[in-house]
Amino acid sequence: ENTAIGTNALATNNTGSKNTALGFFADVTVDSLSNATAIGYNAKVAASNALVLGGIGPDAVHVGIGTDNPQGVLDVNGDLVLRSVPVNITDSINLALDVNTEKYSLYKITTAVSAFAIGGITAGAEGRLVTLVNQSGFPMQLIHEDPDAAIIDRIQTGNQQNLVLDQMGIVTLQYDNIVQRWMVNSSNHESPVSDWQPTGSNLYFDNFVGIG
């Protein structure tokens, strides 16, 4: 049930099944894998249901799509399509938003019963990017360092304040393994909070008159 093409390809595979290795020394690094694929010189795969292109270190390769001269680890000469999945919010406070059962990069929150808050997000992995689009019709709040959420699921907004997004607000987060937090990268629709304060016919900023 395994396919090996190349000198010493799949040499260490003993009990794994449905595995494929194409290239000199292309192999698995652990036994008992299933549906694992390694392509290229010295490519190694260590997980089931995974595909690895090229080796690591000096054997690493650049992958080109639509180009014969890739200039980065992944060089795409064309468009990129990231499909989305709808998310229904049933609780006013969500301490562990599930982005693990259906793994996507774009989640559209389409249904909520009222304004809601997100204090944590599951399935953090180094570098993983998740974008949330609020299409619920209600305000969505991301809670900065919610103490009730699991430590590894917590969110850092970047300004130590909760982040509120109204209808069609969009926020992108990226997981950082060192701090074990989801970090807010960007958002497009934060409810305005300003240091400008109107008093009578004057408009003040930090007690200095701006207009008046």
Side-chain angles (χ1 to χ4, degrees):
E1 295 182 349
N2 299 294
T3 301
I5 300 176
T7 302
N8 289 324
L10 282 186
T12 63
N13 183 74
N14 295 314
T15 61
S17 63
K18 304 176 184 176
N19 299 319
T20 302
L22 304 177
F24 191 77
F25 279 112
D27 204 353
V28 297
T29 59
V30 293
D31 212 358
S32 302
L33 297 183
S34 176
N35 195 31
T37 301
I39 299 176
Y41 170 75
N42 209 25
K44 299 292 191 289
V45 61
S48 295
N49 302 307
L51 184 150
V52 172
L53 298 177
I56 59 176
D59 299 325
V61 300
H62 288 178
V63 176
I65 300 177
T67 175
D68 60 1
N69 185 23
Q71 298 299 302
V73 174
L74 178 61
D75 188 341
V76 179
N77 183 21
D79 61 350
L80 180 66
V81 177
L82 296 176
R83 301 188 185 276
S84 65
V85 64
V87 176
N88 297 326
I89 297 293
T90 58
D91 299 318
S92 58
I93 299 178
N94 300 265
L95 298 178
L97 183 68
D98 182 11
V99 295
N100 186 53
T101 301
E102 293 185 282
K103 287 191 174 180
Y104 284 74
S105 291
L106 180 59
Y107 294 85
K108 295 180 179 179
I109 300 175
T110 55
T111 305
V113 296
S114 63
F116 61 95
I118 298 174
I121 303 173
T122 64
E126 173 63 25
R128 184 181 180 188
L129 284 166
V130 166
T131 296
L132 305 178
V133 182
N134 183 16
Q135 296 181 349
S136 68
F138 297 97
M140 174 178 76
Q141 180 173 215
L142 269 64
I143 303 176
H144 174 78
E145 288 289 349
D146 190 330
D148 294 325
I151 291 176
I152 61 173
D153 292 342
R154 292 179 188 175
I155 299 166
Q156 286 196 358
T157 59
N159 63 0
Q160 315 300 310
Q161 303 294 321
N162 295 342
L163 178 65
V164 179
L165 297 106
D166 296 317
Q167 172 71 1
M168 296 309 297
I170 301 174
V171 60
T172 297
L173 306 98
Q174 187 168 24
Y175 197 79
D176 187 322
N177 259 356
I178 295 177
V179 297
Q180 294 188 313
R181 297 292 190 278
W182 286 96
M183 315 294 289
V184 171
N185 272 357
S186 63
S187 65
N188 78 327
H189 197 148
E190 181 178 0
S191 291
V193 176
S194 176
D195 290 322
W196 290 96
Q197 301 294 332
T199 302
S201 60
N202 297 327
L203 188 62
Y204 290 86
F205 183 84
D206 284 344
N207 295 321
F208 292 96
V209 176
I211 300 173

